Amino acid sequence: MPEVIAPEKPQPLTALTEDETLFRDNIRQFAEEKVRPLSKEMDEKGVFDKELIHEFFQLGLMGIEVPEQYGGGAGTFFEAILAVEELSRVDASAGVIVDVQNTLVNNALLRWGTDEQKKRYLPRMAAECVGAYALSEAGSGSDAFALATKAELKGNDYVLNGRKLWITNGKEAGLFVLLATLDPAAGYKGITAFLVEKDFPGFTVGKKEDKVGIRASSTCELILEDCRVPKNNVLGEAGKGYKIAIETLNEGRIGIGAQMIGVARGAWECAIKYAQERKQFSKPISEFQAIQFQLAQMATEIEAARLMVYNAARMKDAGINFVKEAAMTKLYASQVAERVTSLALEIYGGYGFTKDYPVEKYWRDSKIGKIYEGTSNMQLQTIAKLVIK
Ligand SMILES: Cc1cc2nc3c(=O)[nH]c(=O)nc-3n(C[C@H](O)[C@H](O)[C@H](O)COP(=O)(O)OP(=O)(O)OC[C@H]3O[C@@H](n4cnc5c(N)ncnc54)[C@H](O)[C@@H]3O)c2cc1C
């Protein structure tokens, strides 16, 4: 793969095409009008609004890169990133639902699905079926390939037994890209990816987690008890699932970066508005240089993280190796989100510490960025491997 592209006229990283601008503006408007009014209640109840997911499908947000022949938007990865950022600016749970669908599940189907699997599943993914990506287990998180869910070939079916934990979209999903092992003793070489439908016999969704942040996004346990999965639902090659898991997550990490810059921007916008309204010592607190410097520092960090997210997404669309940039993007954007949302909360003073104002939610929602799709230590491990020769 080429390492450098030389466009005729290099453009700023934040330059968008006309189509991208229109796409982003539509989502921004949708997020403001449809998502924002529901965000607080969904967070309190810990349940995502079903009708809103239906609207995601209608707007084309659940099949952004799916080719037209399968009913998708035939868009770019960069557009998927814009969608995640804009939704997360208003509600990080909305952002992650769209993120998992596009950057993990559709992406895996598009890259590794057979023509027959694509025909069978992609039209559904673009129209009505929520997807989930099931790698983690109680005993295997960072050490993902130590997973214990076992798959055994019996006739024309694989029979799966085990439990998955922490699966985003678990409650809503109709299709799961699920990783199991054919032979635990073979280590990563036994790992195989399966396309598991929620109605397959022996498959059930277990407990839903009660979380600190992204509370409306469902995070569930999956239980496989002699779950029968047809042989032709193996995604890619048997025993090569580790490659699917690693490479899908590389793209996913740019999506989490986008979620984090959306969260940071949302909190920053609240903070600046509040700072201009709140008076102490007879003037708006935004007139104190200390507050101005905090807001300026936050804006600078968001800008830096955003450039990293956009660059990594453009690299992916250009077919350039982006593994290091994806890891750096997720690492940095999640650090920025945590810092910015925390400062935003402080700018609200005591009010920021209550549920009456929106910043505490941004702060809670930021925390997950350092944990899922590989913790910050795991990103550092990848980056270190690539930069220290
Ligand atoms: C809300 C939420 C949604 C999620 N969604 C999904 C999903 O959709 N699909 C899915 O498959 N998984 C999902 N996960 C799981 C997530 O990817 C894991 O939680 C994450 O990879 C960390 O694994 P762990 O929780 O087992 O932590 P551990 O791996 O036990 O890590 C604990 C701590 O040890 C550190 N650590 C571990 N190993 C090392 C090492 N070698 N060097 C340095 N430090 C190390 C970690 O950085 C961390 O700080 C989700 C998790 C959450 C909380």
Side-chain angles (χ1 to χ4, degrees), residues 286-303:
S286 62
E287 289 183 20
F288 299 119
Q289 195 182 48
I291 297 282
Q292 290 173 359
F293 281 10
Q294 282 180 324
L295 288 165
Q297 178 71 31
M298 290 151 82
T300 306
E301 293 192 18
I302 294 170
E303 179 76 2

Side-chain angles (χ1 to χ4, degrees), residues 224-240:
L224 300 118
E225 284 170 332
D226 288 333
C227 172
R228 298 196 83 87
V229 180
K231 216 160 64 173
N232 59 6
N233 272 35
V234 168
L235 184 65
E237 272 178 67
K240 294 275 170 70

Side-chain angles (χ1 to χ4, degrees), residues 96 100 104 132-144 164-170 177 179 209 211 213-214 217-220 249 368 370-378 381:
V96 76
V100 167
L104 298 182
Y133 179 85
L135 174 63
S136 305
E137 298 182 3
S140 61
S142 300
D143 188 10
K164 293 286 168 187
L165 201 62
W166 312 116
I167 307 309
T168 301
N169 291 352
V177 172
L179 285 299
E209 304 295 337
K211 308 192 298 294
I214 58 164
S217 155
S218 66
T219 309
C220 302
L249 286 172
I368 191 60
K370 288 183 169 180
I371 299 170
Y372 58 12
E373 299 204 21
T375 63
S376 290
N377 277 354
M378 293 299 106
Q381 200 180 70

Side-chain angles (χ1 to χ4, degrees), residues 63-373:
I64 294 170
E65 286 181 89
V66 172
E68 264 172 24
Q69 68 186 108
Y70 302 117
T76 59
F77 182 73
F78 188 80
E79 283 173 347
I81 289 311
L82 285 179
V84 174
E85 180 190 353
E86 287 305 323
L87 289 170
S88 303
R89 173 180 158 263
V90 170
D91 186 88
S93 294
V96 76
I97 291 174
V98 168
D99 176 66
V100 167
Q101 181 89 2
N102 286 282
T103 73
L104 298 182
V105 180
N106 292 350
N107 165 23
L109 270 166
L110 282 166
R111 275 194 71 185
W112 289 281
T114 61
D115 286 348
E116 187 277 324
Q117 287 170 342
K118 288 182 192 168
K119 252 188 237 161
R120 195 153 33 111
Y121 288 116
L122 286 175
R124 289 180 53 195
M125 303 314 289
E128 41 86 16
C129 181
V130 174
Y133 179 85
L135 174 63
S136 305
E137 298 182 3
S140 61
S142 300
D143 188 10
F145 297 148
L147 60 83
T149 296
K150 182 105 176 45
E152 242 183 300
L153 186 58
K154 288 191 178 162
N156 277 332
D157 293 339
Y158 279 95
V159 177
L160 271 56
N161 279 289
R163 280 168 186 245
K164 293 286 168 187
L165 201 62
W166 312 116
I167 307 309
T168 301
N169 291 352
K171 193 162 155 273
E172 297 83 8
L175 183 70
F176 298 77
V177 172
L178 189 146
L179 285 299
T181 179
L182 301 177
D183 177 9
Y188 74 92
K189 287 183 183 156
I191 310 278
T192 303
F194 295 91
L195 296 167
V196 180
E197 294 185 29
K198 84 160 191 278
D199 297 328
F200 282 176
F203 179 86
T204 44
V205 176
K207 177 176 165 257
K208 181 167 103 40
E209 304 295 337
D210 186 6
K211 308 192 298 294
V212 169
I214 58 164
R215 288 178 45 76
S217 155
S218 66
T219 309
C220 302
E221 183 184 25
L222 308 179
I223 302 159
L224 300 118
E225 284 170 332
D226 288 333
C227 172
R228 298 196 83 87
V229 180
K231 216 160 64 173
N232 59 6
N233 272 35
V234 168
L235 184 65
E237 272 178 67
K240 294 275 170 70
Y242 67 93
K243 200 170 148 60
I244 297 180
I246 291 173
E247 295 190 15
T248 315
L249 286 172
N250 283 334
E251 296 186 22
R253 281 170 192 145
I254 308 174
I256 301 307
Q259 183 196 32
M260 290 297 115
I261 57 172
V263 167
R265 266 181 57 215
W268 186 86
E269 287 169 14
C270 289
I272 191 149
K273 190 162 171 278
Y274 184 81
Q276 285 164 342
E277 288 164 2
R278 172 70 175 170
K279 286 193 176 143
Q280 287 293 280
F281 303 95
S282 308
K283 51 181 167 179
I285 58 168
S286 62
E287 289 183 20
F288 299 119
Q289 195 182 48
I291 297 282
Q292 290 173 359
F293 281 10
Q294 282 180 324
L295 288 165
Q297 178 71 31
M298 290 151 82
T300 306
E301 293 192 18
I302 294 170
E303 179 76 2
R306 193 159 184 228
L307 294 176
M308 290 178 82
V309 172
Y310 284 13
N311 187 49
R314 293 285 192 210
M315 287 175 82
K316 149 77 179 81
D317 279 333
I320 299 171
N321 187 318
F322 58 88
V323 174
K324 180 185 76 190
E325 286 75 10
M328 287 178 165
T329 290
K330 179 181 178 288
L331 174 77
Y332 187 68
S334 58
Q335 291 171 347
V336 166
E338 197 179 280
R339 275 198 296 271
V340 165
T341 55
S342 175
L343 270 173
L345 191 152
E346 289 172 33
I347 287 174
Y348 271 68
Y351 298 101
F353 205 59
T354 72
K355 298 248 175 199
D356 297 337
Y357 290 85
V359 276
E360 62 83 30
K361 177 175 181 299
Y362 283 114
W363 182 53
R364 287 188 285 107
D365 287 348
S366 75
K367 193 67 219 178
I368 191 60
K370 288 183 169 180
I371 299 170
Y372 58 12
E373 299 204 21

